Amino acid sequence: MAGELIPKDDAAAERGAPAISVRDLRVNYGDREILHGISFDAPAGQTLVILGGSGSGKSTLLRTLVGLENPTGGSIWIRGRDFASMKESERDELRKRMGMSFQSGALFGSMTVAENVALPLREHTNLDRSTIDIMVRLKLNQVGLSGFENYMPAQLSGGMRKRAAVARALAMDPEVLFFDEPSAGLDPIIAAGIDDLILKLKQAFHITILVVTHELASAFLIADRMILLIKGNIVADGTPEELRQSTHPRVRQFLDRVPEKELTAEIDYLQMLTGEIPPERQ
Amino acid sequence: MPLAEQIGGATLSWLAYVGNLTRLTSGAARAVFIDPFRGRRVKWSRSMHQALAVGVTAIPVVSLISFFVGLILALQAAYELRRLGALHLVAGTVALSMTRELGPLMTAVVVIGRSGSAFAAEIGTMKVNEEIDALETMALEPVHFLVAPKFAAMLLMMPCLTTWSDLMGVFGGGVFGVMSAGFTSHTYLEATIDALVRRDIFIGLVKSAMFAIVITAVGCQEGFTTGLGSEEVGKSTTAAVVKSIFLVIVMDLVFTSIFYLTAPR
């Protein structure tokens, strides 16, 4: 049973023990190393935002944390167990306690919104149909989508699709909720609505939330802790205030939105690929 | 690149492909035949839905094509048999060719065009939209959730469709027989039954089951290996159709050879 596998450790959670600890995590795509041995903690019941630009490896990190990519080294500790070295069946048990909201929503196009949200409940629980219907309505209500049960995903707007995806991620009452670029491709008002939703979920359910994004305004609004990931390395890890005060050149460049210098020489290009910063730019 | 290296590379990639097909098939077979006995629930409603899409809605086109193929076979056979004065052998020729060979093959071609391509397009689109990833993060195994219902539906419906195709082919041959070869419908049917032995029908049905496995595996495999972008879905669909037809013909050759060599003389 999932309950035995992940003992509820409320006391530890209250003390702010990490829900997820990542140690020296390395991930390769073929011969190319994307994450170069990163370590961080996601405190239980808090929102951790993983900031990073395009190609920083932040989406790879998220995919690895939910088990879609296999690390080549290091460990991912979730509730005291190493997720990276678990058997697939054990991972599945843990996955039932995690929710993931994909960048595109990833709703099943052939099912209605309600069927999408009901799917994990139908597959993993023995609840009867009417109970599942009630739970689905509850979840949709939580994300502000009451009355859209019978819509197909294609009939929804971008923001509504994201909300529906959150409702599906919440279906199994997860302990950890992952968001991949929650506000990507949305207009500022709709994006602010998604930020509000994330804040509301944290306050209402005290779940651990991990958000991967490159949207600064949204990140500072929702984060309790932040990590800045650049070219597969963590260059900053702290509270939003600590990041704001940081004098680290890479952090400043990212937060002040300074464009990368044009790559003119071959050595610049090589340095960009390897992630090493030339001394004169530090 | 040297020729030997090219041949070696192509052989290895084909072997890897067949290996992937085998893995997919064994995963689906386990989900359909073994998992239910281990207390893992199987949603038969999904299989029924697939069976409708794969089998029932294919009946009109399978009927029409098989009828025409039966008619063509009779015409071709009669062309030669007439010269030998053996026009009465038309019924047997059509019956044997349909049940042993063309019934399973034509049904497979229709099902590849309708369902094999649809499997690749469906799974490919899901892959592009991150829906396959979503399944995995929800602890739903894509093979169990997507492939197994298709596998069960195909394994059930292909032999049924093939049997129907055999009947329609014989009917097509019969139309010619009655109109141009001096048969009555009764004598044509009698000649057909006389020509067939149980083994002929059995061979056709074994083939059709094998084709079902190949079509499902190739369609789903092409879907799962779809690259990023909607254009890739189109490519996967085309690849599913071409590779399925090729593999079905190869498998047909293998089975026909085995049945020929093991035939009682």
Side-chain angles (χ1 to χ4, degrees):
Chain A
M1 277 304 286
E4 291 159 13
L5 193 70
I6 321 162
K8 281 257 186 194
D9 191 355
D10 293 333
E14 274 168 29
R15 286 196 304 272
I20 300 175
S21 288
V22 173
R23 290 291 171 268
D24 198 30
L25 189 69
R26 289 171 190 277
V27 181
N28 281 41
Y29 282 147
D31 293 337
R32 203 156 61 97
E33 192 172 78
I34 308 292
L35 298 175
H36 313 295
I38 61 169
S39 304
F40 67 89
D41 290 330
Q46 295 189 15
T47 302
L48 174 74
V49 170
I50 300 162
L51 265 179
S54 307
S56 60
K58 59 185 192 306
S59 291
T60 305
L61 173 58
L62 194 66
R63 291 176 63 81
T64 312
L65 291 179
V66 296
L68 289 173
E69 306 288 344
N70 282 316
T72 38
S75 50
I76 301 165
W77 296 90
I78 298 177
R79 294 273 182 183
R81 300 203 53 195
D82 184 9
F83 188 58
S85 62
M86 274 181 197
K87 281 191 294 187
E88 198 56 31
S89 56
E90 293 176 315
R91 279 191 187 199
D92 277 349
E93 285 305 320
L94 257 184
R95 280 187 180 126
K96 290 176 194 169
R97 311 299 285 266
M98 299 177 176
M100 167 92 174
S101 160
F102 285 84
Q103 187 173 346
S104 62
L107 295 168
F108 300 113
S110 56
M111 301 179 189
T112 64
V113 170
E115 284 166 349
N116 263 283
V117 180
L119 183 68
L121 296 167
R122 285 209 186 121
E123 295 293 325
H124 294 313
T125 68
N126 291 318
L127 297 172
D128 60 63
R129 211 190 168 90
S130 56
T131 314
I132 290 179
D133 283 348
I134 293 168
M135 289 184 71
V136 167
R137 240 175 285 152
L138 205 69
K139 300 292 171 192
L140 285 174
N141 188 32
Q142 278 163 4
V143 299
L145 275 184
S146 292
F148 288 94
E149 284 85 354
N150 296 323
Y151 279 60
M152 299 304 280
Q155 294 172 297
L156 301 181
S157 69
M160 288 157 92
R161 227 173 288 164
K162 288 240 163 116
R163 284 172 183 272
V166 176
R168 188 179 65 186
L170 286 172
M172 295 284 287
D173 294 324
E175 294 172 17
V176 187
L177 199 52
F178 296 92
F179 285 89
D180 189 11
E181 303 275 7
S183 42
L186 301 179
D187 73 49
I189 298 170
I190 304 286
I194 299 284
D195 290 344
D196 269 354
L197 176 64
I198 294 174
L199 284 171
K200 201 181 84 183
L201 291 176
K202 190 187 76 178
Q203 280 156 10
F205 304 111
H206 304 290
I207 39 182
T208 310
I209 299 177
L210 258 87
V211 182
V212 155
T213 186
H214 62 265
E215 304 273 344
L216 289 175
S218 148
F220 278 101
L221 190 71
I222 58 178
D224 294 312
R225 282 195 80 79
M226 290 174 125
I227 285 173
L228 178 59
L229 198 63
I230 291 178
K231 299 196 172 83
N233 290 303
I234 290 179
V235 295
D237 181 353
T239 63
E241 202 44 46
E242 284 167 351
L243 250 79
R244 245 189 227 116
Q245 308 289 336
S246 172
T247 53
H248 190 292
R250 277 302 201 182
V251 179
R252 289 266 53 94
Q253 185 192 14
F254 195 85
L255 298 189
D256 300 339
R257 306 171 63 153
V258 180
E260 197 78 63
K261 278 191 190 165
E262 251 183 73
L263 305 172
T264 47
E266 197 182 347
I267 186 75
D268 284 343
Y269 188 65
L270 286 172
Q271 277 160 347
M272 187 205 77
L273 286 180
T274 54
E276 284 170 22
I277 309 153
E280 72 272 13
R281 289 187 191 165
Q282 286 201 354
Chain B
M1 210 195 290
L3 186 68
E5 210 171 296
Q6 278 184 21
I7 295 172
T11 311
L12 279 181
S13 67
W14 260 101
L15 283 177
Y17 188 77
V18 173
N20 284 333
L21 295 184
T22 313
R23 207 175 48 191
L24 203 62
T25 304
S26 62
R30 199 173 52 233
V32 173
F33 297 117
I34 299 174
D35 284 354
F37 298 104
R38 288 188 179 163
R40 196 166 167 184
R41 284 178 304 167
V42 173
K43 294 285 164 81
W44 295 112
S45 60
R46 262 199 294 277
S47 292
M48 289 310 292
H49 177 77
Q50 289 289 341
L52 271 179
V54 166
V56 178
T57 54
I59 289 175
V61 66
V62 167
S63 306
L64 207 60
I65 287 181
S66 304
F67 174 80
F68 288 149
V69 167
L71 197 54
I72 292 166
L73 266 178
L75 285 164
Q76 283 295 349
Y79 177 75
E80 199 61 21
L81 291 172
R82 191 168 47 191
R83 291 197 312 164
L84 302 169
L87 212 50
H88 62 280
L89 291 177
V90 163
T93 310
V94 170
L96 281 174
S97 307
M98 278 312 292
T99 50
R100 292 179 69 113
E101 193 57 58
L102 284 163
L105 199 60
M106 294 320 293
T107 308
V109 170
V110 170
V111 171
I112 288 169
R114 294 184 77 258
S115 305
S117 58
F119 294 167
E122 179 196 331
I123 296 179
T125 310
M126 291 183 75
K127 175 92 188 295
V128 171
N129 292 338
E130 296 181 299
E131 291 172 39
I132 302 289
D133 288 343
L135 278 178
E136 284 189 50
T137 58
M138 285 192 269
L140 297 173
E141 208 184 313
V143 171
H144 198 276
F145 188 79
L146 291 172
V147 182
K150 294 176 172 56
F151 182 79
M154 286 283 281
L155 220 46
L156 179 73
M157 294 317 282
M158 276 289 282
C160 295
L161 276 177
T162 301
T163 308
W164 181 249
S165 165
D166 294 347
L167 289 172
M168 291 308 289
V170 167
F171 177 51
V175 169
F176 171 82
V178 172
M179 287 171 72
S180 310
F183 282 98
T184 64
S185 53
H186 184 71
T187 54
Y188 189 88
L189 201 61
E190 245 172 20
T192 300
I193 292 166
D194 280 349
L196 287 177
V197 291
R198 215 174 293 153
R199 184 180 159 89
D200 299 320
I201 296 164
F202 172 75
I203 286 173
L205 294 183
V206 169
K207 277 184 182 176
S208 75
M210 292 297 139
F211 295 166
I213 293 171
V214 169
I215 297 167
T216 316
V218 173
C220 296
Q221 173 68 14
E222 289 301 323
F224 282 123
T225 51
T226 302
L228 295 176
S230 46
E231 197 185 323
E232 296 297 317
V233 179
K235 283 185 191 163
S236 296
T237 312
T238 310
V241 171
V242 175
K243 287 180 183 169
S244 296
I245 290 180
F246 177 73
L247 283 175
V248 158
I249 300 274
V250 169
M251 189 157 262
D252 193 8
L253 176 64
V254 170
F255 272 88
T256 307
S257 307
I258 292 172
F259 288 130
Y260 174 75
L261 294 172
T262 58
R265 289 161 205 235

